[in-house]
Amino acid sequence: MTRDSWPPFENPDGTGISRDIIVKALAYSNSEAEFIAVPYARALRMTEKGLVDCVFNVTKQGSTTDKFIFGKEPLLQVKASYFYSLNNKMSYKAPADNTVAGVIIGYEYGNEYESHRHRFKEVKVSHQQQIIKMLIRDKIEVAIMFDKVAEFTLKEMHRDLDVIYKGHINHISDIYIGFSKEIENVDKKIQLLDMGLSKLKSYI
């Protein structure tokens, strides 16, 4: 399993909420997973090529279902919103052409964003802190961030939560584990995780 730097769900060292859920879910079948922390875009490529079994914290949407196999049970559900600088409190429910948007390389932003993606001028970066800094400095007009990730990152940066402006919700996503189509016994591995995730949720 691979993925790095999506705090608090996943920290740069690979620890975090998502990993804890996976470990607990696999424990129901006395199974374990080996984790490798690499940048998300690389994790996607490695999984697609079958170099690793799966990548976690993946949004299930058109651009990912073509590349990966998903189980029935999501890891968790998260909300993502549009964020703006304090000087740019606009709504992008119908974004203007060439709106400058900050995005993380390789991230999925939901089907609604994908339908408008051609209208954005994207500035692609590797880390959430870079996006927040660009918003504060008016280098970009808008960014889509998961609410808990934005809150965690701002606290990590020792910045007040109101240093940027949160607009309307972009999407609420079920976050999954995406399995490679190139590995053996993928159905069995998915079954074990689904069983564990289902049991885990029954106790929450």
Side-chain angles (χ1 to χ4, degrees):
M1 293 190 174
T2 66
R3 181 71 201 257
D4 90 328
S5 198
W6 193 48
F9 303 105
E10 186 168 5
N11 301 313
D13 62 358
T15 62
I17 295 172
S18 296
R19 177 169 173 165
D20 291 344
I21 293 172
I22 293 168
V23 170
K24 291 176 182 177
L26 288 175
Y28 283 105
S29 59
N30 295 316
S31 302
E32 295 180 349
E34 180 181 351
F35 295 87
I36 305 170
V38 299
Y40 185 53
R42 189 189 308 170
L44 294 173
R45 292 194 299 271
M46 290 174 67
T47 305
E48 190 174 359
K49 293 178 180 179
L51 300 176
V52 293
D53 289 347
C54 58
V55 56
F56 58 96
N57 292 338
V58 180
T59 303
K60 189 177 180 181
Q61 61 183 50
S63 62
T64 56
T65 53
D66 290 341
K67 298 177 181 179
F68 308 111
I69 303 172
F70 294 91
K72 296 178 181 178
E73 298 288 339
L75 276 177
L76 43 86
Q77 188 177 77
V78 292
K79 179 174 69 175
S81 301
Y82 284 88
F83 288 83
Y84 317 97
S85 76
L86 296 181
N87 296 321
N88 186 30
K89 296 182 180 180
M90 300 177 67
S91 173
Y92 287 96
K93 290 184 179 180
D97 289 346
N98 294 317
T99 296
V100 182
V103 298
I104 299 292
I105 297 169
Y107 273 27
E108 307 90 37
Y109 289 96
N111 290 322
E112 180 184 346
Y113 179 80
E114 290 296 333
S115 69
H116 289 286
R117 193 161 205 157
H118 63 284
R119 303 175 67 186
F120 287 94
K121 181 179 179 181
E122 294 184 337
V123 178
K124 298 181 180 181
V125 297
S126 301
H127 302 287
Q128 301 289 340
Q129 286 196 15
Q130 292 172 284
I131 283 185
I132 290 174
K133 288 176 181 178
M134 287 192 296
L135 279 176
I136 293 172
R137 297 169 183 168
D138 291 318
K139 299 295 184 182
I140 56 176
E141 296 178 271
V142 64
I144 300 171
M145 292 185 285
F146 290 101
D147 292 14
K148 287 187 179 296
V149 174
E151 181 180 341
F152 181 92
T153 306
L154 282 166
K155 288 181 179 178
E156 194 176 48
M157 295 170 68
H158 305 291
R159 303 300 296 259
D160 293 334
L161 299 181
D162 60 0
V163 74
I164 56 177
Y165 172 73
K166 184 173 78 171
H168 75 282
I169 295 172
N170 175 59
H171 67 292
I172 297 175
S173 287
D174 287 329
I175 303 299
Y176 288 84
I177 299 170
F179 281 84
S180 176
K181 296 182 178 182
E182 304 298 325
I183 61 171
E184 296 180 356
N185 301 318
V186 64
D187 291 338
K188 183 178 180 180
K189 293 176 181 180
I190 291 173
Q191 184 180 17
L192 288 175
L193 267 169
D194 273 349
M195 179 189 70
L197 289 170
S198 179
K199 287 185 176 181
L200 188 61
K201 289 171 186 175
S202 68
Y203 290 102
I204 298 176

